[in-house]
């Protein structure tokens, strides 16, 4: 999936988060939600050296790709939890937005046709989760 598709998906998930926060009577900072969800929507592809994010931190990206492969550790629930915990040290709303962005990325990759799926529970399990449409 392209980075533009992941940005779009992250913004849609982020808009949903803002809607839910408003319904719950919470303040929604659209800028924090947008920036956090876009970052979260792109960061899982750091495991591809030629990706939008990976090309900006090539040495890190190459190491992740060589060590773990694509759609494994950076596409797992553990990565989602870790990113959320890391950003929670900065700001709770930002952490939630980043988590929503990572979640959107994982969901979109699971839904990508003809893809190998996502190792959602890596490293506990290498089994890939994917959606196959009915024909």
């Amino acid at each position: 999936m392209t980075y533009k598709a992941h940005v779009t998906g992250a913004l849609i998930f982020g808009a949903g988060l803002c809607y839910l926060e408003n319904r719950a009577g919470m303040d929604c900072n659209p800028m924090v939600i947008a920036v956090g969800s876009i970052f979260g929507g792109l960061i899982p592809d750091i495991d591809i050296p030629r990706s939008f994010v990976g090309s900006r931190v090539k040495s890190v990206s190459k190491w992740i790709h060589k060590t773990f492969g694509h759609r494994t550790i950076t596409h797992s629930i553990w990565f989602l939890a870790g990113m959320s915990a890391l950003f929670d040290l900065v700001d709770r709303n930002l952490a939630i937005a980043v988590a929503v962005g990572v979640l959107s990325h994982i969901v979109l990759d699971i839904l990508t046709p003809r893809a190998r799926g996502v190792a959602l529970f890596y490293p506990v399990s290498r089994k890939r989760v994917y959606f196959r449409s009915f024909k």
Side-chain angles (χ1 to χ4, degrees):
M1 186 161 288
T2 67
Y3 83 93
K4 290 178 183 177
H6 281 301
V7 167
T8 302
L11 287 172
I12 290 168
F13 273 59
L17 172 63
C18 227
Y19 172 77
L20 292 174
E21 285 183 352
N22 283 330
R23 295 278 301 184
M26 300 166 61
D27 277 340
C28 173
N29 182 332
M31 188 59 73
V32 170
I33 299 298
V35 170
S37 62
I38 290 171
F39 178 81
L42 293 176
I43 197 66
D45 277 343
I46 195 170
D47 64 356
I48 306 173
R50 68 182 189 285
S51 72
F52 184 82
V53 175
S55 65
R56 282 148 179 81
V57 287
K58 230 182 211 5
S59 60
V60 172
S61 182
K62 284 180 179 180
W63 179 82
I64 293 170
H65 185 76
K66 184 178 180 177
T67 305
F68 302 105
H70 180 46
R71 292 187 175 175
T72 59
I73 195 74
T74 63
H75 289 66
S76 70
I77 59 170
W78 315 115
F79 184 77
L80 188 152
M83 293 300 290
S84 181
L86 178 66
F87 280 90
D88 194 39
L89 298 172
V90 178
D91 180 77
R92 173 70 43 94
N93 291 324
L94 180 60
I96 293 168
V98 169
V100 164
V102 173
L103 179 64
S104 75
H105 186 107
I106 292 169
V107 167
L108 290 173
D109 278 358
I110 287 171
L111 296 174
T112 302
R114 296 180 303 278
R116 296 181 0 191
V118 171
L120 194 58
F121 301 103
Y122 188 92
V124 174
S125 171
R126 292 180 183 269
K127 182 176 168 135
R128 291 181 175 263
V129 176
Y130 55 89
F131 176 79
R132 294 288 183 238
S133 60
F134 297 101
K135 292 186 180 188

